[in-house]
Amino acid sequence: MNKKLVAALSGGSVLVMALSGCSSSSGGGGGDKGPDPKLVAWAKSVCDAVPAQDAKIKAANASIAAIATNSNLPPKSAQKTYSQAFQDMSDGYKALADALNGAGAPPGVGDGAKRQQDAAKNLAGLSASYAALKKKVDGLDTKDQGKFAKGLKDVAATQTREVGKQSESGTEALKRLEQGDVKKAMAEQASCKKAASSASAAPSSSAG
């Protein structure tokens, strides 16, 4: 019944993959001397935040996928699962935004500060969108299965469009941030490699 909801929300996983700096899976840093050590340290501070939040966001996606097609689930149980999942996603993206804000501008990168701020702002926006989703779901009528199902459908139609837009602009902002040496520095990090390999191993259900 709520496949649309699942498809829209799974876009977030793509965004985490983009944050890993390995989104187009570059095969290492050519024959040059590699990125500036300061930039590598910056990349480490960002990348080290990724695996834990990636796991949290994936688990939230999985819990939604597990109940989305179960129309026999009591509304109260469904509400609780959706609410917790949206809270976890909101927390996950906020933590990633905080990691980028805490790292500051990537050293030695032209307009790096703007690119870093744009990416952090987009992640914070996605966090706010999931918080809004949680609020909407928390407000649904669980006394009546039909009303709850209709309410959930409305939430899926309106809020997930917003989440989808935020995901797309977030992915674009991260790609802009991760050009050139920033990408190389992030691709060197074990934590980013781990997140990227787990993202590419996951079955992709990306909706266009």
Side-chain angles (χ1 to χ4, degrees), residues 155-187:
V155 168
T158 55
Q159 286 304 116
T160 52
R161 246 203 321 268
E162 179 59 29
V163 167
K165 272 199 308 222
Q166 292 273 9
S167 262
E168 275 170 38
S169 58
T171 303
E172 286 309 309
L174 287 167
K175 281 181 183 161
R176 282 196 299 275
L177 172 64
E178 289 163 9
Q179 288 164 357
D181 283 349
V182 174
K183 189 173 183 70
K184 283 185 202 161
M186 291 182 94

Side-chain angles (χ1 to χ4, degrees), residues 57-74:
I57 290 162
K58 278 214 182 73
N61 264 316
S63 70
I64 288 172
I67 67 162
T69 51
N70 182 357
S71 51
N72 297 319
L73 195 67

Side-chain angles (χ1 to χ4, degrees), residues 19 41-51 96 99-100 103-104 177 186 191-192:
L19 183 57
W42 177 90
K44 181 170 169 29
S45 73
V46 174
C47 281
D48 284 356
V50 172
L96 292 171
L100 263 182
L177 172 64
M186 291 182 94
S191 46
C192 267

Side-chain angles (χ1 to χ4, degrees), residues 96-126:
L96 292 171
D98 289 348
L100 263 182
N101 279 325
V109 175
D111 79 346
K114 184 182 182 321
R115 286 195 264 161
Q116 170 255 335
Q117 283 159 14
D118 283 351
K121 195 167 110 192
N122 272 283
L123 287 164
L126 200 52

Side-chain angles (χ1 to χ4, degrees), residues 22-60:
C22 312
S23 42
S24 54
S25 167
S26 58
D32 60 2
K33 62 184 180 358
D36 179 330
K38 284 197 195 109
L39 188 56
V40 172
W42 177 90
K44 181 170 169 29
S45 73
V46 174
C47 281
D48 284 356
V50 172
Q53 305 313 322
D54 179 39
K56 182 185 276 191
I57 290 162
K58 278 214 182 73

Side-chain angles (χ1 to χ4, degrees), residues 104-146:
V109 175
D111 79 346
K114 184 182 182 321
R115 286 195 264 161
Q116 170 255 335
Q117 283 159 14
D118 283 351
K121 195 167 110 192
N122 272 283
L123 287 164
L126 200 52
S127 170
S129 289
Y130 280 113
L133 259 175
K134 177 190 185 306
K135 202 171 169 187
K136 282 253 167 83
V137 165
D138 285 347
L140 293 179
D141 182 352
T142 54
K143 295 186 190 75
D144 179 308
Q145 183 116 19

